[in-house]
Amino acid sequence: MIIFQHATLPLLVGSLIAFASPSNAADCPTGDTRHEHHVGNFNFVTNSWVEEVGKLRRYVSCVGNFDRDTDLLVTWHVAGPKGTYVPSDDVATEPRMSNDLNPRVVNGCIKYGNLGDYTDAQFMGSTADEAENAQDNPCAEANIFGGHELAKPGIPEDGYSDQVRVFFPSNPDKPRETMLEINGMIGIAAKDGAFESYFTYSAHKYKDRPDGDPDNIRVRPRFVTAPESYYKAFFENNKELIPLGYKGNIVFKVSEATSSLVPVTAYYEFISPDDRVLGSIPMPMFGPER
């Protein structure tokens, strides 16, 4: 197992930008669990790796679509992406922050295609990932290893930011014609004994797809950990369903003692007019250790 180390956050974000560039389209060459999947009529690759970010760890998963004529709908259980498309000859990555300092290979599972077929897809994960995977793994029972080392980092003094790129259709019944691409920055900023979580983005039609419409999409939060308190904080300054549009900035403030917090699980979900979840991205969130 290799843990890639980066000295500064700018270098970290730069590595993600380079990785997602067109020169590396359709492949996930860097990582510790690379696996090419040639299943039925589908051809794609998965990979994952872990990076040091101060006292935290950045767990990253990647899916590349080798097919030039078919968009790939995928849900990689636990690791991500979840319920999101990877356009033909392109790649999608998903970063997750954790205070688990002991990453290991998890025998994961990925659902692919419109018929919902499954295949094995290992990923670098944490102790919590292993436990979740054991409960929700359609492919096989996971092997759980004992022992883990957790950090209690608090909010990084300089904050944290990460680039995200996600694809989904504005009309799920016409995915190819209405495919959208969202490019944005997610992050945390510590301010006056509290912190702000933010998502700044632009949305546009993917390449030459003619009919994608960001104005049809709404964004909503999903808090897996302590949802009641975080929903309350979020709705003080935001609507329950936020119009996506072509650009935006979603911010909310959480009043917590920042020195003792750890990462908690949360997402932004993209919602169709008929209330279907089209895709999601991680939301940077910190909270008390539970």
Side-chain angles (χ1 to χ4, degrees):
M1 179 184 68
I2 300 174
I3 299 178
F4 296 91
Q5 299 185 14
H6 294 264
T8 64
L9 282 175
L11 283 176
L12 172 67
V13 175
S15 70
L16 181 60
I17 295 172
F19 185 79
S21 67
S23 63
N24 291 320
D27 203 354
C28 299
T30 302
D32 302 303
T33 62
R34 190 177 188 278
H35 181 192
E36 291 191 15
H37 306 266
H38 305 288
V39 286
N41 295 323
F42 296 92
N43 297 283
F44 60 97
V45 61
T46 56
N47 209 342
S48 65
W49 65 95
V50 181
E51 297 171 334
E52 293 186 6
V53 184
K55 296 180 181 180
L56 296 169
R57 295 296 181 269
R58 179 175 179 263
Y59 290 70
V60 188
S61 50
C62 174
V63 179
N65 182 6
F66 289 138
D67 288 327
R68 294 185 177 274
D69 300 316
T70 304
D71 299 328
L72 177 67
L73 177 62
V74 295
T75 293
W76 196 350
H77 291 274
V78 182
K82 299 180 176 69
T84 301
Y85 280 86
V86 183
S88 60
D89 199 30
D90 215 323
V91 65
T93 62
E94 180 159 315
R96 299 175 296 130
M97 296 304 295
S98 174
N99 63 321
D100 193 323
L101 307 183
N102 184 26
R104 76 296 309 276
V105 175
V106 177
N107 295 322
C109 183
I110 192 166
K111 181 169 71 171
Y112 62 93
N114 294 324
L115 297 180
D117 294 317
Y118 294 92
T119 190
D120 296 331
Q122 290 186 331
F123 63 92
M124 298 303 299
S126 65
T127 299
D129 292 337
E130 282 189 316
E132 182 180 352
N133 185 67
Q135 297 173 354
D136 184 22
N137 184 346
C139 295
E141 183 176 352
N143 294 318
I144 304 298
F145 303 102
H148 62 282
E149 182 183 357
L150 299 178
K152 298 181 179 179
I155 302 294
E157 291 183 3
D158 296 331
Y160 158 75
S161 63
D162 222 326
Q163 182 171 324
V164 290
R165 181 174 179 240
V166 64
F167 314 94
F168 55 83
S170 58
N171 181 348
D173 296 323
K174 297 181 178 179
R176 184 168 185 84
E177 296 89 340
T178 67
M179 191 66 64
L180 299 172
E181 178 179 345
I182 312 298
N183 289 281
M185 190 72 69
I186 55 175
I188 287 285
K191 292 187 176 182
D192 303 323
F195 72 88
E196 288 183 349
S197 178
Y198 60 87
F199 170 37
T200 302
Y201 64 87
S202 64
H204 56 87
K205 300 176 182 179
Y206 178 72
K207 291 187 176 179
D208 57 351
R209 311 296 175 87
D211 299 327
D213 186 0
D215 287 331
N216 277 345
I217 307 303
R218 302 293 181 266
V219 184
R220 72 183 179 199
R222 183 166 72 87
F223 299 104
V224 178
T225 305
E228 291 185 3
S229 61
Y230 294 133
Y231 278 124
K232 181 179 179 181
F234 187 88
F235 295 144
E236 286 181 359
N237 298 303
N238 296 286
K239 299 178 181 179
E240 183 173 354
L241 289 173
I242 301 170
L244 178 67
Y246 285 85
K247 61 175 60 177
N249 183 34
I250 302 173
V251 178
F252 75 105
K253 186 175 182 178
V254 179
S255 298
E256 296 274 12
T258 60
S259 62
S260 60
L261 302 184
V262 299
V264 299
T265 304
Y267 300 93
Y268 290 108
E269 295 182 332
F270 302 98
I271 309 300
S272 70
D274 58 354
D275 205 36
R276 284 186 273 183
V277 178
L278 304 173
S280 66
I281 60 170
M283 175 195 299
M285 278 295 299
F286 283 70
E289 188 174 18
R290 299 180 188 278

